[in-house]
Amino acid sequence: MYTKKMFVLLGVLVLAAVVVTACGTAGPAGPAGPAGPAGPAGAPGAAGESVAATDLTCTECHNDTTLIVSKEAQFRELSVHGTGEAFERGEEGGCAGCHGTEGAKARINAGVSPHDASIEGVTNVSPFDCRTCHNIHTSYTKTDFSLTGGEQPVKFEYSDGTFDGGAGNLCANCHQIRNPKPKVDGGNVAITSSRYGTHYGVESQMLFGEGGLGETGSPSAHYAMVEDTCVACHMGEEFNHTYLPDVARCQACHADAENFDINGVQTEVKAKLEELHALFVDKGLLNAETDLWIATAAAPLTVPEAVANAMWNYKFVTYDQSNGAHNSAYAKALLDAALETMNAYTP
């Protein structure tokens, strides 16, 4: 009997050991149960520090000054760029690169010439505004006043030079000759348009001393010695957006200047232009009333190359609009050569 009880006790102990061993080994984790209900809201934290208006970068431009309002008023009311005339042909392929915000900004940022094919197809064109020349609302700081194109030098489309005049480079993108030189055939040129000659707004090439025909020029002191070229003279340190030059700015270099006719240059150039105008009219080349050439595609005007050069140079100096102030030596050389040619020319 005793032995039998011992065997039963031993069996119970073995079974208990097996059970204990099995319970000590963890099985794989089961799937997660559903999320419990959200707990109660915690106590509100302390209020954060309020941001002062002066800490916002927008206030670098949008503040209690009249800076932006004054520039917009100057531009819209008094500048040719802002009154609409420069915008009227902004959807035309050959004009879009200079006659509207969309074409001009895209072209200048791309660093291509006014007639680059990439500017074709501009629609819904808008007139020049702040965004044409400035990178507005890209950083929301004063760097938004940075210039379109980043002041990159400008390779002229129809002459060899590259204009590198600081902030004035932006102006040179459009203020250059934008039509090709005439084709010479057998020493003659067939003029087929009453508007033969350079396009309007050729100031940067006049400053640089290029663009005229038959005469070699060189950069003027206004290009070589004036920092930021066009901007320095036409906007000044106050960045006036009428773009009208001021005699006071001239006095930094020309201390005794009382007007823009410094050393009588404008008087002399005006007289040469008037003399040329009379010669062109007398010799049947120019309409005295319209200042347009007497030529059409149906009735071309064929003239010797020297005469075609004289006609081109007359328009070049006229459309520079400074009456010699931008580059007096080059302007006078072009007009003197034209006068010599026209005085000797017999139709």
Side-chain angles (χ1 to χ4, degrees), residues 122-141:
V122 175
T123 57
N124 296 322
V125 64
S126 59
F128 280 11
D129 61 15
C130 305
R131 287 171 170 80
T132 314
C133 298
H134 297 282
N135 297 312
I136 301 297
H137 287 171
T138 58
S139 69
Y140 296 92
T141 68

PDB file of all heavy atoms in Angstrom, residues 122-141:
ATOM      1  N   VAL A 122       2.326  84.492 -76.346  1.00  0.00           N
ATOM      2  CA  VAL A 122       1.873  85.158 -75.123  1.00  0.00           C
ATOM      3  C   VAL A 122       0.427  85.607 -75.311  1.00  0.00           C
ATOM      4  O   VAL A 122       0.087  86.263 -76.292  1.00  0.00           O
ATOM      5  CB  VAL A 122       2.755  86.375 -74.793  1.00  0.00           C
ATOM      6  CG1 VAL A 122       2.193  87.125 -73.596  1.00  0.00           C
ATOM      7  CG2 VAL A 122       4.178  85.932 -74.510  1.00  0.00           C
ATOM      8  N   THR A 123      -0.445  85.233 -74.383  1.00  0.00           N
ATOM      9  CA  THR A 123      -1.842  85.668 -74.418  1.00  0.00           C
ATOM     10  C   THR A 123      -2.212  86.265 -73.066  1.00  0.00           C
ATOM     11  O   THR A 123      -1.504  86.098 -72.077  1.00  0.00           O
ATOM     12  CB  THR A 123      -2.787  84.486 -74.723  1.00  0.00           C
ATOM     13  OG1 THR A 123      -2.589  83.466 -73.728  1.00  0.00           O
ATOM     14  CG2 THR A 123      -2.515  83.916 -76.103  1.00  0.00           C
ATOM     15  N   ASN A 124      -3.352  86.975 -73.052  1.00  0.00           N
ATOM     16  CA  ASN A 124      -3.802  87.648 -71.833  1.00  0.00           C
ATOM     17  C   ASN A 124      -2.683  88.505 -71.249  1.00  0.00           C
ATOM     18  O   ASN A 124      -2.387  88.462 -70.057  1.00  0.00           O
ATOM     19  CB  ASN A 124      -4.268  86.628 -70.790  1.00  0.00           C
ATOM     20  CG  ASN A 124      -5.482  85.849 -71.246  1.00  0.00           C
ATOM     21  OD1 ASN A 124      -6.369  86.406 -71.879  1.00  0.00           O
ATOM     22  ND2 ASN A 124      -5.519  84.567 -70.942  1.00  0.00           N
ATOM     23  N   VAL A 125      -2.080  89.279 -72.131  1.00  0.00           N
ATOM     24  CA  VAL A 125      -0.938  90.088 -71.717  1.00  0.00           C
ATOM     25  C   VAL A 125      -1.383  91.203 -70.778  1.00  0.00           C
ATOM     26  O   VAL A 125      -2.481  91.740 -70.903  1.00  0.00           O
ATOM     27  CB  VAL A 125      -0.233  90.669 -72.963  1.00  0.00           C
ATOM     28  CG1 VAL A 125      -1.135  91.627 -73.713  1.00  0.00           C
ATOM     29  CG2 VAL A 125       1.056  91.365 -72.578  1.00  0.00           C
ATOM     30  N   SER A 126      -0.558  91.522 -69.813  1.00  0.00           N
ATOM     31  CA  SER A 126      -0.842  92.622 -68.890  1.00  0.00           C
ATOM     32  C   SER A 126       0.190  93.722 -69.079  1.00  0.00           C
ATOM     33  O   SER A 126       1.317  93.463 -69.507  1.00  0.00           O
ATOM     34  CB  SER A 126      -0.832  92.124 -67.442  1.00  0.00           C
ATOM     35  OG  SER A 126       0.420  91.558 -67.113  1.00  0.00           O
ATOM     36  N   PRO A 127      -0.176  94.947 -68.785  1.00  0.00           N
ATOM     37  CA  PRO A 127       0.775  96.059 -68.967  1.00  0.00           C
ATOM     38  C   PRO A 127       1.924  95.975 -67.974  1.00  0.00           C
ATOM     39  O   PRO A 127       1.882  95.208 -67.008  1.00  0.00           O
ATOM     40  CB  PRO A 127      -0.091  97.301 -68.700  1.00  0.00           C
ATOM     41  CG  PRO A 127      -1.194  96.807 -67.834  1.00  0.00           C
ATOM     42  CD  PRO A 127      -1.472  95.406 -68.269  1.00  0.00           C
ATOM     43  N   PHE A 128       2.942  96.762 -68.214  1.00  0.00           N
ATOM     44  CA  PHE A 128       4.060  96.811 -67.275  1.00  0.00           C
ATOM     45  C   PHE A 128       3.557  97.246 -65.902  1.00  0.00           C
ATOM     46  O   PHE A 128       2.735  98.156 -65.773  1.00  0.00           O
ATOM     47  CB  PHE A 128       5.114  97.807 -67.769  1.00  0.00           C
ATOM     48  CG  PHE A 128       6.015  97.252 -68.835  1.00  0.00           C
ATOM     49  CD1 PHE A 128       5.748  96.055 -69.470  1.00  0.00           C
ATOM     50  CD2 PHE A 128       7.156  97.951 -69.208  1.00  0.00           C
ATOM     51  CE1 PHE A 128       6.585  95.552 -70.443  1.00  0.00           C
ATOM     52  CE2 PHE A 128       8.008  97.460 -70.195  1.00  0.00           C
ATOM     53  CZ  PHE A 128       7.718  96.258 -70.808  1.00  0.00           C
ATOM     54  N   ASP A 129       4.062  96.582 -64.887  1.00  0.00           N
ATOM     55  CA  ASP A 129       3.772  96.969 -63.516  1.00  0.00           C
ATOM     56  C   ASP A 129       4.967  96.605 -62.658  1.00  0.00           C
ATOM     57  O   ASP A 129       6.054  96.320 -63.181  1.00  0.00           O
ATOM     58  CB  ASP A 129       2.478  96.313 -63.016  1.00  0.00           C
ATOM     59  CG  ASP A 129       2.544  94.788 -63.028  1.00  0.00           C
ATOM     60  OD1 ASP A 129       3.654  94.223 -63.149  1.00  0.00           O
ATOM     61  OD2 ASP A 129       1.483  94.145 -62.903  1.00  0.00           O
ATOM     62  N   CYS A 130       4.802  96.599 -61.338  1.00  0.00           N
ATOM     63  CA  CYS A 130       5.923  96.314 -60.441  1.00  0.00           C
ATOM     64  C   CYS A 130       6.557  94.959 -60.741  1.00  0.00           C
ATOM     65  O   CYS A 130       7.773  94.785 -60.640  1.00  0.00           O
ATOM     66  CB  CYS A 130       5.456  96.335 -58.990  1.00  0.00           C
ATOM     67  SG  CYS A 130       4.635  97.859 -58.481  1.00  0.00           S
ATOM     68  N   ARG A 131       5.703  93.986 -61.114  1.00  0.00           N
ATOM     69  CA  ARG A 131       6.192  92.623 -61.306  1.00  0.00           C
ATOM     70  C   ARG A 131       6.988  92.445 -62.599  1.00  0.00           C
ATOM     71  O   ARG A 131       7.645  91.427 -62.773  1.00  0.00           O
ATOM     72  CB  ARG A 131       5.012  91.649 -61.288  1.00  0.00           C
ATOM     73  CG  ARG A 131       4.444  91.439 -59.895  1.00  0.00           C
ATOM     74  CD  ARG A 131       3.141  90.636 -59.912  1.00  0.00           C
ATOM     75  NE  ARG A 131       2.753  90.264 -58.567  1.00  0.00           N
ATOM     76  CZ  ARG A 131       2.149  91.059 -57.709  1.00  0.00           C
ATOM     77  NH1 ARG A 131       1.869  92.309 -58.074  1.00  0.00           N
ATOM     78  NH2 ARG A 131       1.820  90.648 -56.497  1.00  0.00           N
ATOM     79  N   THR A 132       6.928  93.404 -63.495  1.00  0.00           N
ATOM     80  CA  THR A 132       7.729  93.305 -64.717  1.00  0.00           C
ATOM     81  C   THR A 132       9.216  93.392 -64.379  1.00  0.00           C
ATOM     82  O   THR A 132      10.022  92.624 -64.887  1.00  0.00           O
ATOM     83  CB  THR A 132       7.372  94.439 -65.696  1.00  0.00           C
ATOM     84  OG1 THR A 132       5.959  94.558 -65.806  1.00  0.00           O
ATOM     85  CG2 THR A 132       7.973  94.162 -67.067  1.00  0.00           C
ATOM     86  N   CYS A 133       9.555  94.309 -63.518  1.00  0.00           N
ATOM     87  CA  CYS A 133      10.957  94.593 -63.229  1.00  0.00           C
ATOM     88  C   CYS A 133      11.438  94.049 -61.887  1.00  0.00           C
ATOM     89  O   CYS A 133      12.648  93.965 -61.668  1.00  0.00           O
ATOM     90  CB  CYS A 133      11.194  96.101 -63.255  1.00  0.00           C
ATOM     91  SG  CYS A 133      10.869  96.866 -64.863  1.00  0.00           S
ATOM     92  N   HIS A 134      10.507  93.681 -61.006  1.00  0.00           N
ATOM     93  CA  HIS A 134      10.884  93.219 -59.668  1.00  0.00           C
ATOM     94  C   HIS A 134      10.325  91.831 -59.379  1.00  0.00           C
ATOM     95  O   HIS A 134       9.264  91.463 -59.882  1.00  0.00           O
ATOM     96  CB  HIS A 134      10.372  94.195 -58.603  1.00  0.00           C
ATOM     97  CG  HIS A 134      10.954  95.566 -58.706  1.00  0.00           C
ATOM     98  ND1 HIS A 134      12.219  95.879 -58.252  1.00  0.00           N
ATOM     99  CD2 HIS A 134      10.451  96.718 -59.226  1.00  0.00           C
ATOM    100  CE1 HIS A 134      12.468  97.160 -58.478  1.00  0.00           C
ATOM    101  NE2 HIS A 134      11.408  97.693 -59.077  1.00  0.00           N
ATOM    102  N   ASN A 135      11.026  91.097 -58.540  1.00  0.00           N
ATOM    103  CA  ASN A 135      10.606  89.742 -58.163  1.00  0.00           C
ATOM    104  C   ASN A 135       9.675  89.812 -56.949  1.00  0.00           C
ATOM    105  O   ASN A 135      10.053  89.500 -55.828  1.00  0.00           O
ATOM    106  CB  ASN A 135      11.836  88.891 -57.851  1.00  0.00           C
ATOM    107  CG  ASN A 135      12.711  88.724 -59.077  1.00  0.00           C
ATOM    108  OD1 ASN A 135      12.215  88.394 -60.154  1.00  0.00           O
ATOM    109  ND2 ASN A 135      14.003  88.956 -58.940  1.00  0.00           N
ATOM    110  N   ILE A 136       8.456  90.241 -57.201  1.00  0.00           N
ATOM    111  CA  ILE A 136       7.510  90.524 -56.126  1.00  0.00           C
ATOM    112  C   ILE A 136       6.977  89.252 -55.473  1.00  0.00           C
ATOM    113  O   ILE A 136       6.611  88.291 -56.150  1.00  0.00           O
ATOM    114  CB  ILE A 136       6.334  91.362 -56.666  1.00  0.00           C
ATOM    115  CG1 ILE A 136       6.848  92.681 -57.251  1.00  0.00           C
ATOM    116  CG2 ILE A 136       5.306  91.632 -55.577  1.00  0.00           C
ATOM    117  CD1 ILE A 136       7.529  93.592 -56.270  1.00  0.00           C
ATOM    118  N   HIS A 137       6.904  89.261 -54.136  1.00  0.00           N
ATOM    119  CA  HIS A 137       6.296  88.193 -53.324  1.00  0.00           C
ATOM    120  C   HIS A 137       6.881  86.813 -53.618  1.00  0.00           C
ATOM    121  O   HIS A 137       6.160  85.835 -53.831  1.00  0.00           O
ATOM    122  CB  HIS A 137       4.770  88.187 -53.499  1.00  0.00           C
ATOM    123  CG  HIS A 137       4.098  89.332 -52.813  1.00  0.00           C
ATOM    124  ND1 HIS A 137       2.766  89.634 -52.985  1.00  0.00           N
ATOM    125  CD2 HIS A 137       4.589  90.289 -51.961  1.00  0.00           C
ATOM    126  CE1 HIS A 137       2.456  90.701 -52.259  1.00  0.00           C
ATOM    127  NE2 HIS A 137       3.555  91.127 -51.635  1.00  0.00           N
ATOM    128  N   THR A 138       8.201  86.765 -53.616  1.00  0.00           N
ATOM    129  CA  THR A 138       8.883  85.470 -53.652  1.00  0.00           C
ATOM    130  C   THR A 138       9.496  85.142 -52.299  1.00  0.00           C
ATOM    131  O   THR A 138       9.604  83.987 -51.922  1.00  0.00           O
ATOM    132  CB  THR A 138       9.989  85.463 -54.725  1.00  0.00           C
ATOM    133  OG1 THR A 138      10.917  86.514 -54.451  1.00  0.00           O
ATOM    134  CG2 THR A 138       9.388  85.664 -56.112  1.00  0.00           C
ATOM    135  N   SER A 139       9.867  86.169 -51.554  1.00  0.00           N
ATOM    136  CA  SER A 139      10.451  85.953 -50.222  1.00  0.00           C
ATOM    137  C   SER A 139       9.683  86.685 -49.122  1.00  0.00           C
ATOM    138  O   SER A 139       9.877  86.411 -47.952  1.00  0.00           O
ATOM    139  CB  SER A 139      11.904  86.437 -50.196  1.00  0.00           C
ATOM    140  OG  SER A 139      11.944  87.861 -50.293  1.00  0.00           O
ATOM    141  N   TYR A 140       8.827  87.631 -49.518  1.00  0.00           N
ATOM    142  CA  TYR A 140       8.079  88.455 -48.566  1.00  0.00           C
ATOM    143  C   TYR A 140       9.008  89.266 -47.655  1.00  0.00           C
ATOM    144  O   TYR A 140       8.710  89.516 -46.494  1.00  0.00           O
ATOM    145  CB  TYR A 140       7.097  87.604 -47.749  1.00  0.00           C
ATOM    146  CG  TYR A 140       6.033  86.995 -48.632  1.00  0.00           C
ATOM    147  CD1 TYR A 140       6.215  85.734 -49.179  1.00  0.00           C
ATOM    148  CD2 TYR A 140       4.882  87.704 -48.952  1.00  0.00           C
ATOM    149  CE1 TYR A 140       5.266  85.186 -50.017  1.00  0.00           C
ATOM    150  CE2 TYR A 140       3.917  87.167 -49.797  1.00  0.00           C
ATOM    151  CZ  TYR A 140       4.118  85.899 -50.328  1.00  0.00           C
ATOM    152  OH  TYR A 140       3.178  85.370 -51.175  1.00  0.00           O
ATOM    153  N   THR A 141      10.138  89.661 -48.214  1.00  0.00           N
ATOM    154  CA  THR A 141      11.064  90.572 -47.557  1.00  0.00           C
ATOM    155  C   THR A 141      11.462  91.620 -48.590  1.00  0.00           C
ATOM    156  O   THR A 141      10.990  91.594 -49.732  1.00  0.00           O
ATOM    157  CB  THR A 141      12.326  89.850 -47.056  1.00  0.00           C
ATOM    158  OG1 THR A 141      13.084  89.409 -48.191  1.00  0.00           O
ATOM    159  CG2 THR A 141      11.969  88.663 -46.181  1.00  0.00           C
TER     160      THR A 141
END
